[in-house]
Amino acid sequence: ESTVRLRVLVARLGTRFVMLLAEDRTEAHRLDEVRRDFVANISHELKTPIASVSLLAEALDQAADEPERVRRFAGRLSVEANRLAHITSEVIELSRLQARDALRPDELVDIDDVVAAAVDQNRVVATAKGVDVAMRASTKATVYGDRALMIVAVHNLVANAIAYSNEGGRVGIGANVVGDTVEIAVTDQGIGMDAEELERVFERFYRVDQARSRNTGGSGLGLSIVKHTVQNHGGDVRVWSQPGRGSTFMIRLPIAETPADAASAETVEH
Ligand code: ADP
């Protein structure tokens, strides 16, 4: 009887082992596919500006006697070079973020300061487009993490809000403490997205409208970087949107120290 029991046990263990193995295989397979897609996408994204650069270089060479054309081609060369630089730095940033499972909580980061810095970086573009940017961030909250990365994440949301706003539109950035989290919301009244598009916006290289987004100079990596940064900080990012009405992106991060904690610490000291 004991042999039979043993066999049953082995059989059960066996099945579980096989199942675990199978799951592992699927996950490995999925990751492999993601990696292959990523490389294919990068190649595709880089090919276009590289082709433009070589065509423009050729055209420049042939237009040597015509200063007006030289100036025009040189201008376009510089635009393509900037696009290449932008895509390259985003790809590097994203690879770095993905390589890190979890971020070491090395810095105490002031959220109001992060929001102000991200908004400042977008002032010139907003003014050029006539978009009004209103900011309200007086949370006094701090979170553990990487200040530079957090600024990039909020910057990307603000840059998108401006890019996908209509001229003369309004963008609002607000930060609030809710329980033991801090919420940073970026709202625009721009073109918005439908439900199907919303599901995919955080995917790498995803752009709702390739042609339109290309005009904004985007690479489709901005929101992936936001997602990975926020996840590395133990938070999440959500989005609400309606076509033609606008969008709200909200980052939520666990607070290191709430203003109330700081106040009571002070009281203890005195
Ligand atoms: P991109 O560099 O193209 O802006 P992102 O990853 O930042 O790439 O965004 C992906 C796509 O999501 C964009 O191309 C755009 O179609 C859409 N999107 C992002 N933010 C907004 C927004 N605030 N309003 C409307 N569409 C947006």
Side-chain angles (χ1 to χ4, degrees):
E1 208 212 317
S2 66
T3 340
V4 172
R5 236 189 245 153
L6 195 68
R7 256 195 216 134
V8 170
L9 195 70
V10 168
R12 280 215 191 116
L13 277 176
T15 331
R16 189 166 300 168
F17 183 63
V18 168
M19 269 174 56
L20 278 178
L21 217 87
E23 265 170 31
D24 238 32
R25 278 251 175 86
T26 339
E27 180 61 9
H29 183 70
R30 196 187 64 81
L31 286 177
D32 215 44
E33 237 168 47
V34 168
R35 221 168 285 138
R36 259 204 309 267
D37 275 2
F38 190 39
V39 173
N41 280 328
I42 293 172
S43 320
H44 177 78
E45 290 302 315
L46 292 180
K47 262 182 199 156
T48 319
I50 288 172
S52 305
V53 165
S54 26
L55 281 175
L56 284 165
E58 226 171 88
L60 202 56
D61 187 41
Q62 282 163 14
D65 305 332
E66 300 165 66
E68 187 43 48
R69 288 179 73 201
V70 167
R71 219 168 319 182
R72 213 172 64 231
F73 290 145
R76 281 169 58 193
L77 253 178
S78 148
V79 168
E80 293 301 332
N82 281 340
R83 173 174 295 165
L84 267 172
H86 180 72
I87 295 175
T88 313
S89 69
E90 285 201 331
V91 166
I92 293 169
E93 189 70 70
L94 192 56
S95 315
R96 267 207 214 115
L97 283 168
Q98 287 178 325
R100 265 190 279 185
D101 299 334
L103 198 92
R104 270 174 298 127
D106 34 20
E107 251 186 299
L108 257 186
V109 183
D110 180 330
I111 286 298
D112 301 339
D113 166 57
V114 164
V115 172
V119 170
D120 270 354
Q121 290 174 355
N122 281 287
R123 287 271 180 221
V124 174
V125 180
T127 308
K129 198 172 169 177
V131 172
D132 176 54
V133 178
M135 175 186 71
R136 189 185 38 74
S138 50
T139 61
K140 303 210 165 42
T142 50
V143 306
Y144 279 116
D146 184 318
R147 177 173 179 272
L149 277 180
M150 273 187 215
I151 293 176
V152 169
V154 179
H155 165 96
N156 287 356
L157 294 186
V158 178
N160 277 349
I162 296 166
Y164 301 109
S165 275
N166 304 309
E167 270 177 41
R170 304 187 65 179
V171 168
I173 299 105
N176 284 302
V177 172
V178 179
D180 50 6
T181 64
V182 61
E183 295 181 343
I184 304 163
V186 180
T187 300
D188 67 67
Q189 300 167 344
I191 57 173
M193 287 166 278
D194 65 28
E196 210 177 298
E197 294 159 353
L198 269 185
E199 258 185 44
R200 303 195 53 199
V201 281
F202 293 104
E203 284 175 25
R204 287 173 305 201
F205 293 110
Y206 178 74
R207 279 176 296 202
V208 169
D209 173 340
Q210 297 289 331
R212 184 196 70 201
S213 300
R214 196 165 285 284
N215 289 336
T216 69
S219 63
L221 288 175
L223 288 176
S224 298
I225 291 174
V226 173
K227 189 182 89 175
H228 281 93
T229 301
V230 170
Q231 285 179 349
N232 278 354
H233 283 84
D236 58 22
V237 52
R238 288 181 292 169
V239 54
W240 296 265
S241 189
Q242 254 185 310
R245 280 282 183 84
S247 317
T248 293
F249 285 81
M250 186 193 275
I251 290 177
R252 208 162 41 160
L253 296 164
I255 287 181
E257 196 176 0
T258 63
D261 286 344
S264 61
E266 246 167 64
T267 326
V268 172
E269 264 178 29
H270 287 294

